[in-house]
Amino acid sequence: MTADLSRRGRTPLRALLVLVALTVVLEAADDLGDWTEVVVHVLALAVIATIGWLVAVAVFVAADAWLARYDVDVADNRHARRVRTQISLLRRLAVVLVAVLTLAAMLLTFPGARAAGASILASAGVISIVAGLAAQTSLANVFAGLQLAFTDAIRVDDVVVVEEEWGRIEEITLTYVVVHLWDDRRLVLPSTYFTTTPFENWTRKESAVLGAVELDVDWTTPFDRMREELDRLVAGDENWDERVKVLQVTDAVGSLVRVRVLVSAQDAGTLWDLRCAVREGLVGWLQREAPHALPRVRNEGAPGYETAGRRGPRPAPDPRTAPRPARPADRGPASNEGLFTGSLEARRRSQAFTGPSEEDQAERARNDRAAADGGTAEQRPAPPAP
């Protein structure tokens, strides 16, 4: 730490000694002219700025020396990442405070600024209210950044899911957080986002996580053999941490069966590769060993049922030639009337949905031809019956 302070503080220290020496020489000299007072004032401002520079260098050296004690290149680095996050935020806050104090000390060297400072202090209540209203959003982000640093909600290098994007926390400042996404994009979010919006932290307590692989297969899938294939796939994959390996049928509705495979890995990145490998292996196994289990959509009827695709649609029954339906009293108490069957009204409704009969269509055609010839079907003689 001492060597680092000597190396990085050498330039501001030399500048400070030179400025102090020049100030002492000019103040000790007599009868140098009116410019002496102006030069001495400028040198005083430079001395104050150099002292602030030296203090900022000392803050950076102390923070770097403290950060060097916590290595994040280890397996369990949760505590180290937490401390590094807090130190980084405190270092930025200290530098801002040093800059503000340095600027204030420089302004106080002017007589007019002293009077202004006294009046400002007298009306500090009003100014604080105005400043608070003007910087409400900025102050909210600053306090949110401090809250994130000391509540351990997120840390640098945490794996998170925000705005439906997966990535790692790359940087935490007093006003915003930078998330390094999986495709090397950077997502910059205000600090208040993490204090007001729910988000996923995959490394809050530990980095080991579970992942799911879902497949839609046919009802004829041999699940016992599929589990054996899953055992073979994960046993030969170094990404699996040997904690969880489960194959379950989670849904079986309609024409498909939903299969979910749960596997575990030591961290999120390794889990992604493991899920991709398991998904590819199971799809390949279905293609090679069980092609009948590939997903398909069925359209099959009961035995003896004539489907429209095989023998064509059945003609609609003619209500004039169909047998007269039995009355409700004739059918007895066991009658079962439906929306389109079981009663005369239902048959009429069925006819309306299936379209007009062939005789009705022929009658409409004759009327259309008669209208085209200038008459109606009633005025022209009917064609002879076949």
Side-chain angles (χ1 to χ4, degrees), residues 286-364:
L286 288 172
Q287 295 174 348
R288 294 190 314 269
E289 305 295 335
H292 61 278
L294 295 174
R296 67 190 66 182
V297 178
R298 290 185 173 87
N299 188 14
E300 300 176 357
Y305 178 78
E306 298 178 1
T307 59
R310 294 181 180 179
R311 300 185 181 181
R314 294 182 178 180
D318 188 355
R320 292 175 292 182
T321 60
R324 177 178 175 273
R327 296 179 179 178
D330 300 335
R331 290 197 300 265
S335 63
N336 184 16
E337 296 183 2
L339 185 62
F340 296 103
T341 58
S343 66
L344 181 59
E345 181 182 359
R347 288 182 179 274
R348 291 175 179 172
R349 190 180 299 111
S350 176
Q351 179 184 357
F353 276 88
T354 56
S357 63
E358 295 180 358
E359 294 184 359
D360 292 339
Q361 293 179 5
E363 182 68 21
R364 291 180 182 178

Side-chain angles (χ1 to χ4, degrees), residues 216-223 249 251-259 292-298:
D216 287 335
V217 296
D218 192 72
W219 287 71
T220 60
T221 303
F223 297 110
V249 177
D251 199 0
V253 178
S255 302
L256 301 175
V257 174
R258 177 66 55 86
V259 175
H292 61 278
L294 295 174
R296 67 190 66 182
V297 178
R298 290 185 173 87

Side-chain angles (χ1 to χ4, degrees), residues 213-229:
V213 176
E214 293 188 337
L215 300 174
D216 287 335
V217 296
D218 192 72
W219 287 71
T220 60
T221 303
F223 297 110
D224 293 336
R225 292 170 52 194
M226 196 173 184
R227 289 188 177 91
E228 294 176 359
E229 178 65 15

Side-chain angles (χ1 to χ4, degrees), residues 65-259:
W66 194 268
L67 290 174
R69 301 174 56 184
Y70 297 91
D71 188 11
V72 295
D73 297 330
V74 295
D76 187 8
N77 58 1
R78 188 175 67 89
H79 179 66
R81 290 188 287 114
R82 175 183 179 182
V83 174
R84 291 178 70 91
T85 302
Q86 295 175 353
I87 293 176
S88 299
L89 289 174
L90 290 177
R91 179 178 59 186
R92 293 188 178 94
L93 186 61
V95 171
V96 171
L97 183 60
V98 170
V100 171
L101 292 178
T102 301
L103 181 61
M106 295 174 65
L107 291 177
L108 289 176
T109 59
F110 296 93
R114 296 176 184 175
S119 61
I120 289 175
L121 291 177
S123 58
V126 178
I127 293 178
S128 62
I129 295 176
V130 175
L133 293 176
Q136 183 177 4
T137 303
S138 300
L139 292 176
N141 284 323
V142 170
F143 286 113
L146 294 175
Q147 181 180 350
L148 292 177
F150 292 99
T151 57
D152 203 21
I154 56 173
R155 300 171 296 269
V156 174
D157 208 32
D158 269 347
V159 178
V160 296
V161 178
V162 292
E163 297 293 322
E164 299 183 357
E165 297 283 356
W166 179 87
R168 294 179 179 272
I169 300 295
E170 185 178 55
E171 184 181 3
I172 301 177
T173 67
L174 290 176
T175 56
Y176 63 89
V177 178
V178 180
V179 182
H180 184 186
L181 302 181
W182 65 274
D183 54 358
D184 285 341
R185 291 179 295 146
R186 264 65 176 182
L187 183 63
V188 181
L189 298 169
S191 300
T192 53
Y193 177 89
F194 292 92
T195 58
T196 59
T197 306
F199 63 94
E200 297 181 23
N201 190 340
W202 289 17
T203 55
R204 178 67 174 82
K205 294 296 183 181
E206 58 181 359
S207 59
V209 288
L210 298 179
V213 176
E214 293 188 337
L215 300 174
D216 287 335
V217 296
D218 192 72
W219 287 71
T220 60
T221 303
F223 297 110
D224 293 336
R225 292 170 52 194
M226 196 173 184
R227 289 188 177 91
E228 294 176 359
E229 178 65 15
L230 174 62
D231 295 340
R232 188 190 67 80
L233 289 174
V234 298
D237 197 323
E238 60 182 7
N239 294 327
W240 184 47
D241 62 357
E242 301 182 2
R243 290 192 303 118
V244 177
K245 169 185 58 67
V246 179
L247 188 149
Q248 295 176 317
V249 177
T250 59
D251 199 0
V253 178
S255 302
L256 301 175
V257 174
R258 177 66 55 86
V259 175

